[in-house]
Amino acid sequence: MARPSSDLAAFRKTFSKAKNIAILTGAGVSAESGVPTFRGAGGYWRTWEAQQLATPEAFSRNPSRVWEFYHYRREVMLTKDPNPAHLAIAECEERLIKQGRNVTVITQNIDELHRRAGSKNILELHGNLFKTRCMSCGHEAANYHSPICGALKGKGAPDPDTEDAQIPVQQLPRCEQKGCHGLLRPAVVWFGETLDSDILSRAEEVLDSCDLCLVVGTSSVVYPAAMFAPQVAARGVPVAEFNMEDTPATMRFKFHFHGPCGTTLPLALERHETEPK
């Protein structure tokens, strides 16, 4: 099997003709904004791996600890900004819409950096760190409170020697719907949970109709998202991977651009000479 091309001019020619572009993004995009990925070496919060905390069972067992973890992540995210990769994607979408072309971001990230960069057409496969869902009434809502509740103020330090705050469940984030007051959870997809069927269906529609697919900063190991781009490639649609390293799917793609997404992506997505001014 031939190695994917790293010919930027060839990619740019393909890009200039594409009408429906799907952009799949993962943790590697946000890592360049200084967002902890919780994958690989050093991916711990205190003595826990994210996979041990991001489960319904962990929340049921110890909602205080899980909320400390997510409070820490929310507070970190409020200090981070979109990087050149996020901005390049948003600028590309805004520019191409005016030409009657479509750009859809399908992201595994929960950090909202695409939205903050200006992207509008976003499908969040794994939910959103700044949304909550009530365990009692099911109400889902945006939530930007900092701290998310009084009891979590100053809590959530990631150092291994930090002791659990052991916050009583009544003092954890609660639903503000009239007459409810149920326990809130982060509106994210935890390990062992299925993706939102509506969002998954919309993502599949975008991938079925795209004539160019970009895979940006994703390890291509988390399913079902790991199968999206290979399935597009199997249809004969060009797929371009932008990543710091090869992934299990690299050899299935037409293009691969090695390096930081914030460096490679802006060059790839800038206005093509054939585009109208």
Side-chain angles (χ1 to χ4, degrees):
M1 194 179 288
R3 171 111 193 127
S5 168
S6 58
D7 184 340
L8 184 61
F11 168 80
R12 299 264 301 142
K13 191 171 181 181
T14 301
F15 165 69
S16 72
K17 296 173 183 173
K19 301 288 188 197
N20 295 295
I21 301 171
I23 305 181
L24 295 163
T25 72
V29 177
S30 295
E32 290 180 45
S33 289
V35 178
T37 64
F38 296 106
R39 284 197 169 276
Y44 284 81
W45 177 82
R46 295 182 185 167
T47 58
W48 307 92
E49 290 181 308
Q51 292 92 321
Q52 296 173 288
L53 298 168
T55 70
E57 295 77 17
F59 191 71
S60 176
R61 232 179 2 251
N62 197 330
S64 173
R65 178 187 295 149
V66 173
W67 258 123
E68 276 200 89
F69 174 57
Y70 279 94
H71 169 65
Y72 163 72
R73 295 180 72 179
R74 284 166 60 96
E75 295 297 304
V76 166
M77 278 316 309
L78 291 172
T79 71
K80 305 301 180 186
D81 295 308
N83 65 56
H86 296 108
L87 297 171
I89 291 169
E91 191 278 331
C92 174
E93 178 191 335
E94 184 180 21
R95 190 179 82 237
L96 266 52
I97 280 176
K98 295 170 184 170
Q99 302 169 21
R101 301 160 72 190
N102 294 310
V103 176
T104 306
V105 176
I106 303 171
T107 187
Q108 298 172 76
N109 299 337
I110 61 173
D111 52 40
E112 277 211 335
L113 286 176
H114 282 300
R115 199 175 302 280
R116 282 166 53 193
S119 289
K120 304 271 193 305
N121 202 8
I122 310 167
L123 296 173
E124 295 172 319
L125 293 174
H126 294 164
N128 187 314
L129 198 52
F130 294 99
K131 287 183 180 173
T132 55
R133 186 183 315 129
C134 178
M135 300 287 287
S136 297
C137 74
H139 181 71
E140 197 167 297
N143 186 314
Y144 296 95
H145 299 326
S146 175
I148 189 166
C149 68
L152 279 165
K153 185 174 183 178
K155 308 298 184 187
D159 313 303
D161 54 358
T162 305
E163 292 188 9
D164 282 358
Q166 297 184 358
I167 299 166
V169 70
Q170 296 83 1
Q171 295 177 30
L172 292 172
R174 312 300 296 196
C175 183
E176 296 177 4
Q177 292 295 102
K178 189 173 180 181
C180 183
H181 203 60
L183 176 64
L184 295 178
R185 59 162 280 179
V188 297
V189 179
W190 280 332
F191 292 95
E193 294 183 327
T194 56
L195 302 189
D196 181 291
S197 58
D198 289 342
I199 290 175
L200 189 56
S201 295
R202 286 161 62 198
E204 288 169 347
E205 286 171 13
V206 169
L207 293 162
D208 285 345
S209 63
C210 74
D211 51 7
L212 175 63
C213 179
L214 277 58
V215 188
V216 185
T218 174
S219 57
S220 294
V221 295
V222 178
Y223 285 83
M227 278 310 299
F228 288 164
Q231 287 170 349
V232 170
R235 284 195 359 248
V237 173
V239 177
E241 183 178 55
F242 296 79
N243 212 334
M244 290 291 288
E245 56 199 10
D246 283 6
T247 71
T250 297
M251 295 304 289
R252 304 190 193 192
F253 301 149
K254 183 168 183 177
F255 299 100
H256 175 89
F257 298 100
H258 187 89
C261 307
T263 302
T264 56
L265 205 56
L267 292 171
L269 296 184
E270 67 185 2
R271 185 184 297 275
H272 190 268
E273 60 191 16
T274 60
E275 287 183 49
K277 292 288 188 203

